[in-house]
Amino acid sequence: MRSPATLSDIVTSFLDVVHDRLLADRRGDVADYIPELADAEPDRFGLALCGLNGRVYESGDTGVEFTIQSVSKAFVYSLALDDNGLNAVHTRVGAEPSGEAFNSVKLESSTGRPPNPMVNAGAIVTTALVNGADPEHRFERILDRLSAFAGRDLTVDESVFASERTSGDRNRALAYLMRSAGSLIAGVDETLDVYFRQCSVLVTSRDLAVMGATLANGGVNPLTGRRVTSAETCQHVMTIMATCGMYDYAGEWLLRAGLPAKSGVAGGLVAASPGEFGLGLYSPRLDHSGASVRAVVAAQQLAKRFGLHILHRPLTLSAAEVAAAADELDEGLGASQDAAAAQLLAENADDLAVWRLRGYIDFDGAERLLLDLDDWLESRPPERIAPAVIVLDLTEVTQLQSVAVWMLAALASWCGERGMRVIASDPQGRSLGVAGLSQFADFETAVQDAAESTTGDD
Ligand code: GLN
């Protein structure tokens, strides 16, 4: 990890950890159904985060331009909403996750509506709903809206546009189907020209971070200070992104990342953490749902580590985080990140447990720790003679309630009676005054001490 030059560079170093670790991930394939996209440099990887104060943190290829593709759908939806209102838009396009691929041919049987504005069929309708005297004017308004979200004047990649226009038979078929069903009223060719052009707008992952931050900020671009749309529209857009933005991966995405997001087949991904920041990611190799493999993994790691799940927030006031640290040490994402500790833990897995506590530890947090440790002790091989050693990393604990201190004391004496040790690491040096609990300021020393008191592989 590069050493941070300023305090806020700590955020950049964090992105660097995620970025650098994922460089080795070469799963997936670059999209080639639009011939021009096949020329993308597959190893490109950019990761950017824009805070609501307008500071952008960047790691990797964040200045590389690529076509926005389906990421545009979320932002054009905001324009259709502002032009027509929520009800008028949704008489023409549904708001239900389709559970199918982005280009699926599936319309609601009773109304002929496409399932939602994030799949191609729904996005084609949304594009047609943007006000404008003619297709040129409509596209001009779309480009202005995308540019306002990004905070700079965006341009179109004409060769990608031409390539998609000549190879876009499936989208053309969808548009004809919707015209016959009555959900698309405008002409097919003029609508698709605008849609293909909107997909061919060039952005960087830095732009996507700013666009996401503008949504997260209730419609005011944190770089320019300009209001792009209303807070209400942002809420609608982020709702549809959360439920439908990742197509047939939308449910699992929400489960694992818990953030409104939108993917595009050039490898871009935008995610918004409401009231916190926007994320922009880019890497061209795609998974089966047409989303960037690295972008998906990176966003999920960040969301998990920052505790960003939109349904997590109401709990953070009271709930602590209590977790076995093995995975996290491996990922290198904790405040006490230490390859040496990961190694010792791996070598002594049967005898040594490292648990990491975070936040405000009350009864609930301490109880979870006890239950987790019960499970771990239960899982030890029964023939094991060496006593178990438990390391509790308190580095990121903000406060320990008295009941939790009492429970830790009880844990230490319970273990002591059985010949086991409990060791706490806490750089703040808060003395818990707990008999039988060894305390170290430094996490690495604590793990080393613990590893030495296990008998290793006997
Ligand atoms: N322009 C692409 C298409 O219509 C967008 C698809 C995508 O990014 N998922 O096929």
Side-chain angles (χ1 to χ4, degrees):
M1 183 167 67
R2 292 173 278 284
S3 156
T6 66
L7 278 177
S8 51
D9 284 335
I10 291 171
V11 179
T12 312
S13 324
F14 199 87
L15 297 183
D16 286 341
V17 172
V18 175
H19 172 273
D20 294 357
R21 279 169 182 264
L22 285 176
L23 279 177
D25 192 338
R26 297 205 164 75
R27 289 174 296 163
D29 298 301
V30 175
D32 59 3
Y33 76 101
I34 299 170
E36 197 72 15
L37 294 184
D39 294 338
E41 184 60 62
D43 277 323
R44 293 281 193 206
F45 186 23
L47 183 52
L49 183 154
C50 175
L52 298 196
N53 49 17
R55 169 78 194 262
V56 186
Y57 306 90
E58 302 177 58
S59 183
D61 301 318
T62 51
V64 172
E65 289 195 316
F66 53 92
T67 52
I68 189 168
Q69 296 298 336
S70 287
V71 178
S72 65
K73 294 166 177 174
F75 301 97
V76 175
Y77 175 56
S78 81
L79 188 53
L81 286 176
D82 288 349
D83 283 355
N84 303 274
L86 185 70
N87 292 338
V89 168
H90 285 286
T91 55
R92 304 278 290 287
V93 51
E96 301 305 331
S98 68
E100 292 192 17
F102 66 89
N103 57 4
S104 88
V105 184
K106 181 182 168 191
L107 303 179
E108 207 173 69
S109 53
S110 52
T111 61
R113 289 187 311 174
N116 64 65
M118 300 293 109
V119 293
N120 285 10
I124 292 168
V125 168
T126 315
T127 297
L129 286 173
V130 169
N131 288 344
D134 50 39
E136 287 72 36
H137 184 219
R138 197 170 295 136
F139 178 68
E140 203 182 294
R141 293 193 63 238
I142 288 175
L143 188 60
D144 280 352
R145 172 62 59 119
L146 296 174
S147 299
F149 264 107
R152 71 176 184 106
D153 289 336
L154 302 175
T155 57
V156 172
D157 185 325
E158 293 295 339
S159 46
V160 171
F161 166 67
S163 179
E164 183 160 5
R165 196 191 206 191
T166 32
S167 62
D169 282 347
R170 191 175 175 104
N171 285 326
R172 216 161 265 121
L174 278 171
Y176 276 113
L177 199 64
M178 292 191 292
R179 244 182 91 83
S180 77
S183 44
L184 180 67
I185 293 163
V188 167
D189 286 333
E190 60 168 74
T191 302
L192 285 179
D193 270 8
V194 178
Y195 170 75
F196 293 148
R197 222 174 247 289
Q198 132 196 351
C199 289
S200 307
V201 168
L202 286 164
V203 288
T204 63
S205 44
R206 180 191 162 91
D207 291 328
L208 293 185
V210 178
M211 295 172 91
T214 303
L215 285 175
N217 198 31
V220 175
N221 183 315
L223 284 194
T224 63
R226 199 181 135 200
R227 176 164 288 286
V228 181
T229 183
S230 68
E232 192 184 13
T233 293
C234 289
Q235 185 187 311
H236 296 324
V237 172
M238 288 191 286
T239 304
I240 295 291
M241 286 165 72
T243 53
C244 311
M246 302 297 280
Y247 312 121
D248 46 339
Y249 185 65
E252 187 162 347
W253 167 267
L254 195 58
L255 191 65
R256 294 183 187 280
L259 289 178
K262 186 72 209 78
S263 60
V265 289
L269 183 91
V270 68
S273 181
E276 301 206 77
F277 56 72
L279 274 182
L281 303 104
Y282 168 60
S283 198
R285 289 197 184 90
L286 307 181
D287 62 21
H288 65 276
S289 71
S292 164
V293 174
R294 284 176 181 167
V296 165
V297 178
Q300 287 181 356
Q301 287 191 352
L302 289 169
K304 184 174 160 214
R305 183 57 188 81
F306 288 176
L308 293 176
H309 197 294
I310 46 176
L311 298 180
H312 173 67
R313 201 142 319 149
L315 293 173
T316 52
L317 280 181
S318 62
E321 194 187 317
V322 175
D327 285 353
E328 207 173 274
L329 286 174
D330 250 12
E331 286 166 4
L333 301 180
S336 315
Q337 43 191 261
D338 187 355
Q343 178 80 23
L344 287 172
L345 185 55
E347 283 165 8
N348 298 283
D350 285 338
D351 303 325
L352 177 59
V354 179
W355 244 255
R356 181 161 277 164
L357 279 62
R358 284 204 170 95
Y360 174 65
I361 309 292
D362 55 3
F363 170 81
D364 172 66
E367 186 213 9
R368 267 184 287 153
L369 174 69
L370 299 181
L371 289 170
D372 281 1
L373 288 174
D374 272 344
D375 284 347
W376 178 72
L377 290 171
E378 179 84 354
S379 74
R380 295 186 74 214
E383 69 281 5
R384 221 52 210 159
I385 313 154
V389 183
I390 295 163
V391 176
L392 303 177
D393 181 14
L394 308 183
T395 307
E396 292 175 59
V397 166
T398 50
Q399 210 187 326
L400 275 163
Q401 220 200 21
S402 51
V403 66
V405 176
W406 178 84
M407 289 163 85
L408 290 185
L411 161 72
S413 76
W414 188 93
C415 289
E417 285 160 16
R418 288 159 182 79
M420 306 175 204
R421 287 185 70 205
V422 183
I423 300 173
S425 78
D426 180 10
Q428 297 186 53
R430 289 169 286 208
S431 168
L432 300 178
V434 167
L437 182 79
S438 326
Q439 279 193 253
F440 290 88
D442 177 57
F443 175 65
E444 190 181 333
T445 318
V447 178
Q448 240 155 31
D449 188 77
E452 276 159 25
S453 60
T454 67
T455 41
D457 21 9
D458 66 351

